[in-house]
Amino acid sequence: MNKIYHLKNTVALITALVIVFTITGCNGGNSKAWEIPEINAVESGIIADNDNFSLEWNNEEKQVFFIEKADDTVWGTVPAEAFLLNERNDSLFSPIQIEVSENISKALDFTRSYGSAVLNNNVDARLIDNGIELTYYFEEFKISVPVQFIIREDSFAISIIKEKITEGDTHKLLSISLAPYVSACKNGAEDSYLFVPSGNGGLIYTNSDTMKNYSTEVYGTDYSRVLFSRYVEEEHNKMPVFGIKNKDKALLSIIEEGAEAAQILASTGDKDTGYSSVYAKCFARGFDIYAEELDSNSTTITTVAENISRQSFTVGYYPLSNENANYNGMAKKYKEYLTDNGMQKTDAASALYSISVIGGAKVKRLALGIPYQTRKSATTFAEAAEIISRLKNDTGSMPFVQMIGFGSSGIDVGKIAGGYKLLGKKSDMEKLISDYKDYISFDFDVIKFKSSGAGVSTLNGAAKSANLQKSKRFFNDPALRDYDKEIGGYYLVKRSKLSGIINKVTNLTAKNGIANISLATLGEICYSDYSNSEYEMKANTESDVEEYLKNIRSKNIKITTDNANAYAAKFSDNILNLQIEDYGYDEIDQYIPFYQMVFVGTKNIYSEPLNSADDRTKVKLGALSSGVRFGYNLLKNYSNGFISKTNVEIYSALFSDNVDEITKEVSEYSKYYSLIQGAAIDEYTILENGVIKTVFDNGVVAYTNMSSTEKDTEIGTISENGFVYINKNGDRNEN
């Protein structure tokens, strides 16, 4: 292959599109003082080299290229084809793009590095170990951003060096889009797609010129952010990964540092560039109500945080080839990455299905015409034991049990961690724990609280949002697609208090002989706290939660989480309430169970409650095809006062209404789940006729037909909404 830097290029200036929005923000910042030093240059050529990669630098165009030695594949800050064909474009040729806020007018602006820094010769280049550090000076905004490009043995990496960012007195830096065209291919490319972590995973095909734009915040929208005035259901992105497949090559990208402050964006069919791409944006500062979709599709920024978050930001890029150049290969590589970084296969007792038993909830009452709320029991400890015993006998197998709402406020938000109480007859609780110790967990909400007590006050115990006010949340009302403010809001606990709260929960469970703690909200909610600079832009959530969970595990206590983010899933033994139903976004062409491909076989994973699913058949088949076991929500006694509850799916949880269906479903598929116990997904394939073929690493192969018509396959006909599996001996089993 010809070396990139030997080509002679013609430079043309493309004027950047400028969009201005009105914002309300704060003045000042904490970045180093702005200045442009004497610019240093590095001569074009190979500047770093190891057994697998070369790093090539083009000084004339200020571009970096990573070359795989095995087959000369080039991954560059500009697509190699566009560079070779002289396809000048400000967007394509910009390794970074920044968004800024003007200090006086509060107007939002953005610029790209090629037109703003490269063509003005304002890029400083300095060699570092295994790579190069480039500092882009945006003179019109008085902002500089240093970026490092390095090669490693199995990958290459690009990092934003936040502690070296400088700002002047005119603008604040809001975000940095990093290397938008490293993971890119031509529009209309066949056998190509973008992988995004939408829900459990999704693909966006590039084989058409249809323009699509996708974006998602890693680990979900910052939970401490001020709420939009209108509720919009958002997907929960649980993984800091994205990728591209282009014929027999693929590139998996993992946000290895600073994922909490990241947004993943993808676009296809861009006629200005001719390329489809997927990349990461790093937010430099926090904000409140950053975006609100209105009928006019306008965007409003209301508050920008004072300081730049100094958490490191690094994206690692892992090339894949041939049979691994697809989402199966990406899942294996990500699983390998997590394993290398501490994830272990659980040794917790495994059950073929799970139940979440609801202990109680607050209901409204009147006393002399004055309304008040009191906790009403939905299930006692003795009744929970009856439910477990009945299901164990009827299904022939023991469920994994999550006890939720057994604290002072039930499933409602009240005192932190339910006031560190487990309400009910102590002797019944002790017998329940004794009889089912390895299969039972008690859930504690260590993040949300509504009332003072248990060492946390509403006056000074709440996390603060970017506007430095207490962050107040409200439950949503899906029926009205709005927030339910009648039942009152709740707060998020200060991040600095979490360690102490979790220690108290651990001590409580150890005292009661509980061998498994459930921390549903800790595993699922990622939020900022601007009362402490260490926690701005959700910073240090990954490292803090990992440390909490490792400390619990060191005490021989197992961990249960719900729909957990990757950093929590990594150290969980049981993951419950995994959302199987997709969000149905138009931007996603095909949903895939990437999350399950990474964690099934390593963790015990159970689905969202089948008995409250919008489409029970779809959830059931989705669980079967991805090796996820069935989950259910149950209670013994229903009260009309529970009808307003939206935080837990309680309306369809009455045990007497569900026991027969649960028995039928669990019994019907118990043999299959027993066969794949502890097995990981080796390959997940969507066949040409839409049938899903799942190959497990122990030899079991499953076929799932999620359509309303029967399908012919290599193993024969599969009925509509049918499921068939082949055991290790090659025998066909149909349910």
Side-chain angles (χ1 to χ4, degrees):
M1 173 174 286
N2 292 328
K3 297 302 181 186
I4 299 292
Y5 67 88
H6 286 319
L7 297 178
K8 186 174 181 180
N9 303 298
T10 304
V11 178
L13 175 63
I14 305 295
T15 304
L17 175 64
V18 177
I19 303 175
V20 179
F21 300 99
T22 300
I23 69 172
T24 302
C26 309
N27 291 320
N30 65 346
S31 60
K32 295 182 179 180
W34 156 264
E35 65 174 349
I36 300 181
E38 183 177 345
I39 296 296
N40 189 68
V42 172
E43 187 175 338
S44 294
I46 300 295
I47 57 173
D49 189 75
N50 62 28
D51 290 342
N52 297 311
F53 295 96
S54 294
L55 190 154
E56 192 165 341
W57 164 245
N58 181 283
N59 186 54
E60 290 72 29
E61 301 289 351
K62 313 301 182 192
Q63 301 294 342
V64 179
F65 299 92
F66 303 93
I67 303 170
E68 293 183 64
K69 288 187 174 181
D71 56 12
D72 278 342
T73 298
V74 177
W75 306 96
T77 50
V78 57
E81 184 179 4
F83 192 90
L84 292 167
L85 295 175
N86 224 10
E87 296 177 352
R88 290 294 174 272
N89 181 288
D90 188 36
S91 180
L92 279 178
F93 275 66
S94 293
I96 68 171
Q97 172 181 304
I98 65 171
E99 291 176 299
V100 300
S101 163
E102 204 276 329
N103 288 340
I104 297 176
S105 70
K106 310 303 180 187
L108 183 69
D109 207 344
F110 81 93
T111 190
R112 299 185 178 100
S113 58
Y114 188 71
S116 184
V118 173
L119 295 184
N120 292 322
N121 199 31
N122 281 340
V123 180
D124 183 83
R126 298 178 187 272
L127 294 179
I128 58 175
D129 289 345
N130 301 311
I132 191 169
E133 181 175 312
L134 305 178
T135 302
Y136 300 90
Y137 291 91
F138 301 92
E139 192 167 6
E140 70 271 41
F141 298 138
K142 294 185 179 180
I143 287 173
S144 72
V145 179
V147 183
Q148 291 183 352
F149 304 80
I150 67 169
I151 55 173
R152 308 183 294 198
E153 288 304 313
D154 65 341
S155 55
F156 55 91
I158 306 177
S159 301
I160 299 169
I161 313 304
K162 286 188 178 179
E163 64 268 18
K164 293 184 180 181
I165 289 173
T166 69
E167 292 178 322
D169 56 5
T170 63
H171 292 79
K172 286 188 181 68
L173 178 64
L174 299 182
S175 72
I176 306 154
S177 294
L178 186 63
Y181 291 95
V182 167
S183 298
C185 66
K186 275 282 193 180
N187 291 337
E190 296 293 333
D191 192 24
S192 302
Y193 52 73
L194 309 178
F195 159 66
V196 293
S198 178
N200 294 322
L203 307 178
I204 304 173
Y205 297 132
T206 63
N207 60 356
S208 74
D209 290 327
T210 301
M211 189 161 185
K212 292 183 179 181
N213 291 296
Y214 168 89
S215 67
T216 179
E217 284 187 44
V218 176
Y219 305 139
T221 301
D222 189 342
Y223 218 73
S224 74
R225 192 170 302 150
V226 173
L227 296 173
F228 301 159
S229 61
R230 186 176 67 184
Y231 165 73
V232 177
E233 184 180 9
E234 296 181 327
E235 66 174 2
H236 181 196
N237 165 17
K238 300 184 283 290
M239 300 170 289
V241 293
F242 56 94
I244 185 171
K245 169 185 167 56
N246 190 7
K247 300 180 174 59
D248 63 347
K249 297 294 297 185
L251 190 67
L252 172 67
S253 304
I254 304 173
I255 306 175
E256 299 174 350
E257 294 181 287
E260 302 96 320
Q263 184 178 30
I264 293 171
L265 301 97
S267 66
T268 63
D270 186 340
K271 291 180 172 54
D272 290 335
T273 65
Y275 283 82
S276 300
S277 68
V278 58
Y279 60 96
K281 173 195 284 188
C282 171
F283 291 111
R285 280 183 166 85
F287 48 83
D288 277 336
I289 313 185
Y290 182 80
E292 183 179 66
E293 296 299 326
L294 305 175
D295 293 338
S296 60
N297 294 319
S298 63
T299 303
T300 303
I301 294 182
T302 58
T303 303
V304 176
E306 178 74 12
N307 298 326
I308 289 178
S309 170
R310 294 299 177 181
Q311 188 176 25
S312 300
F313 189 81
T314 298
V315 180
Y317 300 85
Y318 296 80
L320 302 165
S321 301
N322 302 319
E323 68 274 6
N324 289 317
N326 50 49
Y327 58 79
N328 283 293
M330 293 181 198
K332 290 174 183 176
K333 176 57 69 174
Y334 184 46
K335 185 174 185 177
E336 177 185 307
Y337 171 83
L338 292 174
T339 301
D340 290 344
N341 285 274
M343 182 173 75
Q344 296 179 344
K345 186 172 183 177
T346 183
D347 61 356
S350 179
L352 300 185
Y353 62 108
S354 75
I355 58 173
S356 294
V357 178
I358 300 167
K362 289 287 189 70
V363 294
K364 294 179 181 179
R365 292 286 187 266
L366 290 174
L368 300 176
I370 300 173
Y372 70 99
Q373 285 195 330
T374 185
R375 182 186 185 278
K376 182 173 179 59
S377 175
T379 312
T380 66
F381 292 127
E383 289 168 338
E386 292 174 10
I387 290 173
I388 296 168
S389 177
R390 171 75 184 274
L391 288 175
K392 182 182 176 183
N393 290 333
D394 289 4
T395 65
S397 63
M398 177 70 193
F400 181 79
V401 183
Q402 181 189 46
M403 306 285 282
I404 61 175
F406 282 82
S408 58
S409 55
I411 59 172
D412 292 280
V413 179
K415 295 178 182 179
I416 197 71
Y420 305 113
K421 294 179 180 179
L422 294 172
L423 299 184
K425 190 175 180 181
K426 187 174 181 180
S427 59
D428 289 342
M429 180 184 73
E430 290 173 344
K431 186 176 189 310
L432 180 70
I433 294 170
S434 175
D435 289 348
Y436 304 113
K437 184 172 183 177
D438 292 335
Y439 291 89
I440 195 163
S441 66
F442 284 79
D443 185 65
F444 296 88
D445 188 341
V446 298
I447 288 180
K448 302 175 185 175
F449 73 103
K450 186 175 183 179
S451 54
S452 297
V456 176
S457 168
T458 58
L459 293 176
N460 57 20
K464 292 183 178 180
S465 62
N467 64 10
L468 299 182
Q469 302 299 311
K470 289 186 294 186
S471 178
K472 195 167 188 179
R473 301 282 307 186
F474 296 92
F475 292 109
N476 64 68
D477 186 335
L480 298 177
R481 296 191 64 78
D482 202 351
Y483 292 101
D484 187 347
K485 297 186 178 181
E486 287 188 7
I487 63 173
Y490 60 90
Y491 302 99
L492 309 176
V493 75
K494 277 186 175 180
R495 292 270 303 274
S496 59
K497 289 183 172 289
L498 272 174
S499 179
I501 292 168
I502 293 168
N503 283 337
K504 288 182 180 179
V505 168
T506 305
N507 293 336
L508 173 66
T509 54
K511 179 182 177 181
N512 286 283
I514 298 170
N516 193 311
I517 294 177
S518 174
L519 297 168
T521 54
L522 182 71
E524 188 173 12
I525 292 175
C526 188
Y527 68 103
S528 302
D529 180 3
Y530 291 87
S531 66
N532 188 319
S533 60
E534 292 184 12
Y535 307 126
E536 296 182 1
M537 277 311 306
K538 303 187 282 188
N540 297 308
T541 300
E542 285 185 337
S543 58
D544 285 355
V545 173
E546 287 186 9
E547 189 62 32
Y548 302 149
L549 299 188
K550 283 192 288 186
N551 183 54
I552 293 171
R553 291 174 70 94
S554 71
K555 299 176 181 178
N556 295 317
I557 297 175
K558 304 301 182 184
I559 297 167
T560 296
T561 52
D562 278 19
N563 203 33
N565 292 327
Y567 55 81
K570 182 176 164 183
F571 293 102
S572 297
D573 295 286
N574 304 285
I575 302 171
L576 274 61
N577 292 301
L578 180 69
Q579 181 166 337
I580 301 296
E581 275 196 275
D582 58 57
Y583 290 86
Y585 290 169
D586 292 339
E587 293 84 358
I588 305 300
D589 293 306
Q590 178 66 58
Y591 283 93
I592 58 171
F594 190 90
Y595 186 92
Q596 295 94 305
M597 294 160 68
V598 172
F599 292 111
V600 163
T602 302
K603 313 293 175 183
N604 303 319
I605 307 182
Y606 304 89
S607 75
E608 60 190 283
L610 290 186
N611 52 316
S612 57
D614 292 335
D615 188 333
R616 190 171 186 138
T617 298
K618 185 176 182 180
V619 173
K620 186 191 305 182
L621 292 174
L624 288 165
S625 66
S626 60
V628 172
R629 297 162 231 179
F630 300 156
Y632 304 91
N633 271 354
L634 296 173
L635 52 78
K636 187 64 188 293
N637 308 293
Y638 187 81
S639 166
N640 288 335
F642 298 158
I643 198 168
S644 63
K645 303 303 172 185
T646 58
N647 54 321
V648 175
E649 292 163 325
I650 197 171
Y651 57 88
S652 58
L654 188 62
F655 177 66
S656 59
D657 291 344
N658 285 281
V659 59
D660 291 341
E661 189 66 20
I662 293 173
T663 300
K664 177 178 179 296
E665 287 173 334
V666 172
S667 301
E668 187 174 5
Y669 296 102
S670 61
K671 185 178 178 181
Y672 166 69
Y673 281 118
S674 296
L675 284 175
I676 64 168
Q677 193 98 313
I681 297 174
D682 193 52
E683 183 180 349
Y684 180 95
T685 307
I686 302 167
L687 305 177
E688 289 185 2
N689 62 0
V691 172
I692 296 166
K693 178 181 179 181
T694 312
V695 180
F696 293 91
D697 64 0
N698 66 350
V700 175
V701 182
Y703 294 82
T704 311
N705 177 15
M706 300 185 73
S707 73
S708 57
T709 59
E710 65 178 28
K711 301 288 184 180
D712 292 326
T713 71
E714 59 195 16
I715 60 165
T717 301
I718 301 178
S719 63
E720 62 183 81
N721 293 320
F723 177 75
V724 175
Y725 66 92
I726 308 298
N727 64 22
K728 302 172 189 177
N729 299 321
D731 301 324
R732 174 181 168 129
N733 297 267
E734 188 165 0
N735 295 94

